[in-house]
Amino acid sequence: QVPLVESGGGLVQPGGSLRLSCTASGSIFSIRSMGWFRQAPGKLREWVASISRDDRTNYSQSVKGRFTISSDNVKNTVDLQMNSLKPEDTAVYYCTMTFKRALGDSWTAYWGQGTQVTVSS
């Protein structure tokens, strides 16, 4: 069973919008944090945004004011609303969640399979 499943990537023109979603599968006892990273061709994976279980959000400077991260701790989902997209936002986007499936478990970070976002005219 794949721990995290992403959806919502695609091709969009500059200035357009996309919404990415990520859902955790299986039973979850508690989520500590959720976030999104991205990796452009030939570059290292970089952090984009994160949200804690008390809904505190943080964004990289490159996306602040354009992207919005949100979560639903009942549905175990984290979304990334991306507006005013630029060609330099082109990358494979990965969601990540840190959670435990039972009270006695250790916190474990899980990653999605990645979804391609291409911003081009």
Side-chain angles (χ1 to χ4, degrees), residues 11-22:
L11 173 64
V12 64
Q13 292 186 342
S17 298
L18 280 175
R19 188 177 184 88
L20 306 182
S21 293
C22 176

Side-chain angles (χ1 to χ4, degrees), residues 12-56:
V12 64
Q13 292 186 342
S17 298
L18 280 175
R19 188 177 184 88
L20 306 182
S21 293
C22 176
T23 301
S25 60
S27 175
I28 294 176
F29 175 75
S30 179
I31 296 176
R32 186 166 71 180
S33 64
M34 301 175 173
W36 289 89
F37 284 69
R38 67 186 182 186
Q39 187 166 17
K43 295 188 177 181
L44 297 175
R45 188 174 298 188
E46 65 171 354
W47 168 73
V48 174
S50 59
I51 184 168
S52 66
R53 58 183 172 183
D54 58 354
D55 290 335
R56 287 177 296 158

Side-chain angles (χ1 to χ4, degrees), residues 63-106:
V63 307
K64 190 175 292 185
R66 300 187 298 122
F67 290 11
T68 301
I69 188 171
S70 60
S71 66
D72 185 327
N73 289 335
V74 174
K75 297 180 180 179
N76 297 329
T77 62
V78 59
D79 292 348
L80 186 69
Q81 177 66 43
M82 305 183 294
N83 298 328
S84 303
L85 283 161
K86 305 175 181 179
E88 51 263 44
D89 294 318
T90 296
V92 177
Y93 284 70
Y94 299 89
C95 68
T96 181
M97 295 187 190
T98 299
F99 60 82
K100 56 173 71 174
R101 295 195 183 277
L103 177 61
D105 287 355
S106 300

